[in-house]
Amino acid sequence: MKMIDFYEKYNKDVKKELKKELNLKNIMMVPRLEKIVVNSGVGEATQNIKVLDKVIEELATITGQKPVIRRAKKSIAQFRVREGMPIAASVTLRGKRMYEFFERLVDIVIPRIKDFRGLSSRSFDGSGNYTLSMKDQLVFPEINYNKVERTKGMSITFVTSAKSNEHGKALLKHMGMPFAS
């Protein structure tokens, strides 16, 4: 039930603090987290499709939700990619699972990153959304180290209702995201 506590923390504390800090007139103008997208691209899937199965299994273990297979939108001859080939897997988290994943990420996973000195604040996209890249999946405690054949990276995108990078950063910072100073 920790997830509900985290959601309640946002509703009780974070909203009020953000309204004051950002000088917003209405509580409905306060930015909120809308969804979290976890994406893992697998370039090797063009030669060996079984690699993608392992990535799907690991993403399902990490997020608690079955990933969707992403296919190539157009053919690229240099990379031996044809239109419609499966090349990635992604999961979109919303609601309870989103807050649960966010809490695990901030409290457990990010502190396990080797040589961690804070997250870069340059990964905002201009409209308040933040993308975090992870080099390997082994920082997640759900992953069994003995079953991993090869480390694979992933990107985690936090989609917010913020209108600017400053508002998005303030939201994530108040929710516990450790940005570098």
Side-chain angles (χ1 to χ4, degrees), residues 117-119 121 169 173 179-181:
R117 292 187 179 89
L119 298 173
S121 55
K169 184 176 180 180
K173 198 168 198 170
F179 287 105
S181 44

Side-chain angles (χ1 to χ4, degrees), residues 49 52 68-74 81-89:
I49 195 68
L52 192 61
V68 174
I69 295 174
R70 299 290 179 188
R71 300 184 177 274
K73 292 182 181 176
K74 61 182 182 178
V81 174
R82 301 286 170 253
E83 185 177 342
M85 283 181 104
I87 56 170

Side-chain angles (χ1 to χ4, degrees), residues 111-149:
R112 291 178 59 160
I113 297 174
K114 187 177 179 181
D115 296 332
F116 181 71
R117 292 187 179 89
L119 298 173
S120 171
S121 55
R122 295 187 301 166
S123 296
F124 283 94
D125 67 351
S127 52
N129 304 322
Y130 184 75
T131 301
L132 167 68
S133 297
M134 308 209 80
K135 292 181 180 159
D136 64 26
Q137 73 276 30
L138 296 174
V139 292
F140 288 92
E142 298 89 2
I143 299 294
N144 186 352
Y145 184 78
N146 297 327
K147 291 184 179 179
V148 174
E149 299 166 10

